[in-house]
Amino acid sequence: MAQSKSWKARKKDKGPTGKKLLEDIAEKKLTAVWTEEGIWLPLEAEVAKLVERAGFGSRMGKGDAAKEHVQTLLSCDEKETYSWVASVLRIGAEEAFFLAHALQCLVMHRNTMEGETMEIEECWTKFVQEREQYATSYVAYSHFRSKGWLPKSGIQYGSDLVLYRNHPSVAHSEYAVIVLPMSEELGAPAGSKAFTTWNDLQTLSRLSVQVKKGLLVLYVHVEKGTDCSTPSCLEKFSVQELQLSRWSSEKE
């Protein structure tokens, strides 16, 4: 997947540290379970620390209900069968496919740990069918994750993503990101250029200043005529980054 170099971290020596964590995770062998309720990732203690530190997913709640659900996922009549499980995370579709496709360290099963193995192509097809804009969303997530950033939902700030240098428990997000599909194959209107109106841009710019975040726009392109129903389409995507800021005459 081609990547633009128009935007960089503020200082190279203070860049995101997530790349090393991803390299460590890529050496592990992870198994996830896909169900109608979500995607679940059982982990042993040491691996759980690593995956959670990298900011993947959210841990299941505590209590008897959670324990029963875990036992159903693991499909074990005898608790000793999966006694190695120390934590179960619920991960998003973008996170799951990134672990399976980009890091090649995750295998997904259907419904239980003993269920049918889902191939990469099947996972992609399932995610695309469940959400129309999944391809665009995954490309954006993968783009920033591969750079070492930790992308999370930015809905509370009116954006598509927010970017963290470190885990949200120890750092605030530094950027809000608007993801704009620019190709008709991605559902963009013909002749699509940018924001609907300049008022949209001004509103987002003001909001980002108030919450002390930089504002990024990520334009997502795909070659004309590309079939986005298979993961092979990812080779035909490209992105362009644009950092926006307000200009004030008082600062000149």
Side-chain angles (χ1 to χ4, degrees):
M1 182 178 65
Q3 297 181 349
S4 166
K5 297 183 180 179
S6 60
W7 169 75
K8 298 179 180 179
R10 292 174 182 171
K11 291 184 179 179
K12 290 184 178 180
D13 60 344
K14 292 186 178 181
T17 58
K19 287 185 178 181
K20 180 60 171 64
L21 286 173
L22 295 182
E23 291 174 0
D24 293 340
I25 292 173
E27 297 177 356
K28 308 300 181 181
K29 299 297 182 182
L30 309 179
T31 301
V33 178
W34 176 89
T35 71
E36 294 292 342
E37 299 174 350
I39 304 170
W40 312 92
L41 181 60
L43 299 166
E44 60 181 351
E46 289 303 314
V47 179
K49 293 178 182 178
L50 181 63
V51 174
E52 290 185 33
R53 184 184 170 199
F56 284 98
S58 57
R59 185 180 296 187
M60 286 186 59
K62 300 179 180 179
D64 294 336
K67 291 180 181 179
E68 291 178 5
H69 187 54
V70 170
Q71 189 167 349
T72 300
L73 289 174
L74 299 179
S75 185
C76 53
D77 297 327
E78 299 180 6
K79 295 182 180 180
E80 291 77 11
T81 306
Y82 290 99
S83 58
W84 54 267
V85 176
S87 176
V88 176
L89 302 182
R90 181 174 184 173
I91 58 178
E94 289 83 0
E95 294 175 313
F97 198 77
F98 184 82
L99 289 168
H101 183 263
L103 299 188
Q104 300 181 1
C105 65
L106 181 139
V107 174
M108 197 161 351
H109 293 267
R110 189 185 298 276
N111 297 321
T112 71
M113 289 280 280
E114 306 297 335
E116 177 185 357
T117 299
M118 299 175 67
E119 300 297 332
I120 288 289
E121 291 75 11
E122 184 182 357
C123 293
W124 178 266
T125 300
K126 172 66 69 175
F127 297 151
V128 169
Q129 290 176 344
E130 290 179 345
R131 197 186 333 150
E132 184 179 357
Q133 294 293 329
Y134 177 77
T136 300
S137 178
Y138 175 75
V139 167
Y141 176 89
S142 176
H143 173 71
F144 289 115
R145 253 301 185 182
S146 298
K147 286 190 170 185
W149 292 94
L150 170 53
K152 291 289 187 180
S153 172
I155 189 170
Q156 62 181 326
Y157 300 110
S159 62
D160 295 299
L161 297 170
V162 288
L163 303 181
Y164 293 85
R165 289 183 187 270
N166 295 294
H167 195 279
S169 64
V170 297
H172 291 289
S173 57
E174 297 190 24
Y175 293 94
V177 183
I178 302 299
V179 180
L180 294 178
M182 302 301 290
S183 305
E184 293 183 45
E185 289 79 3
L186 301 176
S192 178
K193 295 298 181 182
F195 295 92
T196 304
T197 67
W198 280 105
N199 285 336
D200 294 339
L201 177 57
Q202 186 176 24
T203 300
L204 289 167
S205 178
R206 285 182 174 275
L207 176 60
S208 64
V209 170
Q210 291 173 0
V211 295
K212 298 181 180 180
K213 301 184 191 308
L215 178 61
L216 300 177
V217 179
L218 187 73
Y219 297 104
V220 180
H221 306 264
V222 68
E223 293 179 14
K224 189 174 181 61
T226 298
D227 178 8
C228 294
S229 63
T230 65
S232 60
C233 70
L234 293 173
E235 299 177 357
K236 299 181 180 181
F237 275 85
S238 62
V239 298
Q240 179 183 6
E241 303 157 328
L242 179 66
Q243 182 173 359
L244 303 177
S245 62
R246 296 178 63 205
W247 176 78
S248 173
S249 60
E250 297 178 357
K251 296 182 179 180
E252 297 298 319

